[in-house]
Amino acid sequence: MEQQNQTIKRAGFSSGFGVLAATLGSAVGLGNIWKFPYLTGANGGAGFLLIYLLATLLIGLPVMIAEITLGRKAKANPITALQTLAPKGQPWWLIGVSGMLAAFLILSFYSEVVAWVFAYILKAADGTILSSDPQVTESAFNALVADPVQSLLWQWAVLAFIGGILLMGVTKGIEGLTKRLMPLLFVLLLLLGAVSLSLDKAVEGLAFLFSPDFSKISASVVLTAMGLAFFKLSIGMGTMMTYGSYFGDDQNIPATALRVMAADLCVSLLAGIAIFPAVFTFGFAPTAGPSLVFITIPAVFSQIIMGQALMVVFFVLTAVAATGAMLSLMEVPVLILHERFGLPRPKAIMLTLAGLLLSGSVCALSGSLLADFRLWGLNMFNLFDVVSSNILLPAGGIFLALFVGWRWGFAQFKEAVTNQGRVGSASLARVIFLLLRYVSPVLILIVMLQGLNVF
Ligand code: TRP
């Protein structure tokens, strides 16, 4: 009997701290260290930051709470969850299908950036990228991107590494690892932030990050900020639903979501504080684009005392941050294949990896063999990024908000989000519900249509 209960029991996170570490581990990633600084840099600094903050609070937080709540209520993968919770015959489960597609698109380019990060840990350690001349660091980066063999091999190594952790399971693998990595991440980030603040032009860097210039804000910038909010909080594709299905029934969902959002914001700001003062001190433009991390950062570190060691620290930190995020991205298709389609977990992992080897190599090769293969002017790497962040995630967000606000209804939402009245309050539940019902979907839709130039 005991034995039987054991085998029926669904995997899950085992403690409050584990829930927090895993969920924060999903939110924190390349989004904070790679995307946030270059997007903030390219879109005018603090003005962009402000819009990003608004998007996070008005849209991100309610949608994140909705997703986790749905997942925990159904205790199932996103497709099954929406099939169970929706009235018979209504196609809300398609959100789960779109999520699976988004997971493959995101992982395809994400794993390639992580591939560069892994390669850079070695390059930093052996001194290859140690040069204060950005032309040297730029050609080192271009050489890596343009090398199809290296791009593919590093990407496969990254994917195999993540698959290996997932094989250890939800509790031992995901929760066990993120519990150790998240504290390490904060220590490393504080160290780098302190070094950067001690540099000459720290004040200029901070001013760039914190004093707004609204002249750069346009509809497409607002869409970018909102897309970043979705990407950052891992919402709109069922990741949070999947993790929500591993939450314990006594977990306070709104409080957890708020903590994750706040801690994630801290990581982004700390990354900005670590990067911008250093960039200004050594006279680089803050708007260097996606390559900021791989071209400017090495040139900056090369001019700091102990720069080489700190550069290794920086790329290890980035790898640490990206690991928890990739685990959560890959767990979505893995759980769907396992639970919805009945594959044993190891097979589900292998099949996901096989798919990613295919779709991922399209991104890995978009700097070399497939460089001229473009749609709407974008190579596949950028296309996968734009389509997922600016279309699939916000669209997923709209439908999740509509589902909770108009189908599931307040009574059920309130029961589930307050743990049957044991945490939070009915009025808090109502505020979140009203945001989901009226505010988030409308805002997302307007921003999407404006940003995609539909009007
Ligand atoms: N939030 C992660 C980051 O900032 C990326 C990520 C993980 C993600 N899981 C996700 C993005 C699900 C969108 C959806 O790097």
Side-chain angles (χ1 to χ4, degrees):
M1 192 61 202
E2 186 62 27
Q3 186 64 34
Q4 228 179 5
N5 277 340
Q6 287 280 306
T7 47
I8 306 171
K9 195 169 167 260
R10 203 167 168 274
F13 301 139
S14 65
S15 66
F17 179 62
V19 166
L20 199 63
T23 313
L24 184 60
S26 168
V28 168
L30 293 177
N32 308 67
I33 294 163
W34 174 66
K35 262 184 184 238
F36 176 84
Y38 87 71
L39 287 175
T40 306
N43 294 304
F48 180 82
L49 183 60
L50 205 65
I51 295 176
Y52 168 72
L53 262 180
L54 280 178
T56 303
L57 286 174
L58 289 178
I59 303 171
L61 207 50
V63 171
M64 184 173 178
I65 294 171
E67 263 197 52
I68 298 176
T69 309
L70 290 169
R72 189 183 64 181
K73 177 70 193 174
K75 295 264 183 314
N77 67 84
I79 294 184
T80 311
L82 288 160
Q83 276 173 332
T84 338
L85 299 175
K88 274 244 156 329
Q90 295 191 0
W92 295 97
W93 52 271
L94 286 173
I95 302 174
V97 176
S98 136
M100 197 149 159
L101 175 66
F104 275 94
L105 291 183
I106 295 177
L107 274 167
S108 297
F109 72 84
Y110 207 93
S111 59
E112 187 53 29
V113 181
V114 182
W116 302 334
V117 171
F118 276 50
Y120 263 54
I121 296 176
L122 294 190
K123 285 183 196 288
D126 73 12
T128 322
I129 47 170
L130 201 66
S131 164
S132 57
D133 180 357
Q135 291 202 322
V136 174
T137 57
E138 183 172 355
S139 55
F141 180 63
N142 290 341
L144 175 63
V145 173
D147 181 341
V149 177
Q150 276 209 55
S151 302
L152 282 176
L153 289 183
W154 278 110
Q155 185 185 42
W156 292 349
V158 168
L159 289 171
F161 168 62
I162 300 298
I165 301 169
L166 288 181
L167 268 178
M168 290 159 54
V170 173
T171 317
K172 280 217 183 99
I174 298 178
E175 180 184 352
L177 192 75
T178 49
K179 265 198 247 181
R180 293 186 177 84
L181 291 184
M182 283 300 111
L184 174 68
L185 179 98
F186 276 93
V187 173
L188 297 181
L189 211 50
L190 287 175
L191 172 75
L192 288 178
V195 171
S196 186
L197 283 181
S198 71
L199 297 172
D200 281 355
K201 298 237 169 101
V203 177
E204 263 174 67
L206 293 184
F208 177 75
L209 198 54
F210 294 113
S211 57
D213 163 15
F214 289 108
S215 65
K216 285 219 174 143
I217 304 298
S218 66
S220 80
V221 170
V222 176
L223 177 63
T224 306
M226 187 179 79
L228 179 66
F230 273 90
F231 187 89
K232 275 297 333 102
L233 296 177
S234 309
I235 53 177
M237 61 156 264
T239 298
M240 284 299 161
M241 225 194 277
T242 302
Y243 273 23
S245 77
Y246 300 142
F247 273 44
D249 286 326
D250 51 357
Q251 195 71 33
N252 184 338
I253 294 175
T256 308
L258 188 67
R259 276 188 207 133
V260 168
M261 187 225 96
D264 176 71
L265 186 66
C266 285
V267 174
S268 292
L269 292 177
L270 278 171
I273 289 171
I275 289 174
F276 288 119
V279 166
F280 278 90
T281 299
F282 297 104
F284 295 111
T287 54
S291 47
L292 181 67
V293 159
F294 297 100
I295 295 173
T296 311
I297 293 284
V300 165
F301 276 120
S302 307
Q303 303 176 45
I304 301 179
I305 327 167
M306 306 246 301
Q308 188 174 4
L310 289 170
M311 184 150 48
V312 175
V313 170
F314 176 82
F315 285 108
V316 168
L317 162 93
T318 311
V320 164
T323 299
M326 293 191 64
L327 288 172
S328 75
L329 281 160
M330 218 190 272
E331 180 65 14
V332 173
V334 166
L335 184 69
I336 290 176
L337 291 173
H338 170 53
E339 209 173 61
R340 179 70 183 75
F341 295 99
L343 259 56
R345 196 173 159 91
K347 278 218 176 107
I349 294 172
M350 290 307 160
L351 193 61
T352 304
L353 282 178
L356 284 171
L357 290 188
L358 287 179
S359 62
S361 46
V362 175
C363 290
L365 298 177
S366 67
S368 50
L369 305 178
L370 298 178
D372 296 327
F373 185 52
R374 283 164 187 271
L375 282 178
W376 300 289
L378 297 171
N379 67 20
M380 292 305 108
F381 180 101
N382 292 325
L383 185 75
F384 283 21
D385 184 2
V386 169
V387 167
S388 50
S389 291
N390 293 1
I391 299 176
L392 290 178
L393 299 182
I398 292 183
F399 286 108
L400 284 162
L402 290 177
F403 178 73
V404 171
W406 297 91
R407 271 291 157 271
W408 214 33
F410 181 62
Q412 308 228 49
F413 176 71
K414 188 190 77 183
E415 278 297 289
V417 83
T418 60
N419 303 355
Q420 289 75 42
R422 277 177 282 122
V423 298
S425 65
S427 35
L428 176 69
R430 181 165 294 278
V431 171
I432 303 168
F433 182 78
L434 291 177
L435 283 172
L436 287 167
R437 189 171 160 107
Y438 298 111
V439 181
S440 322
V442 176
L443 276 183
I444 301 172
L445 192 67
I446 294 177
V447 173
M448 271 180 86
L449 295 180
Q450 289 274 2
L452 299 170
N453 272 326
V454 176
F455 294 136

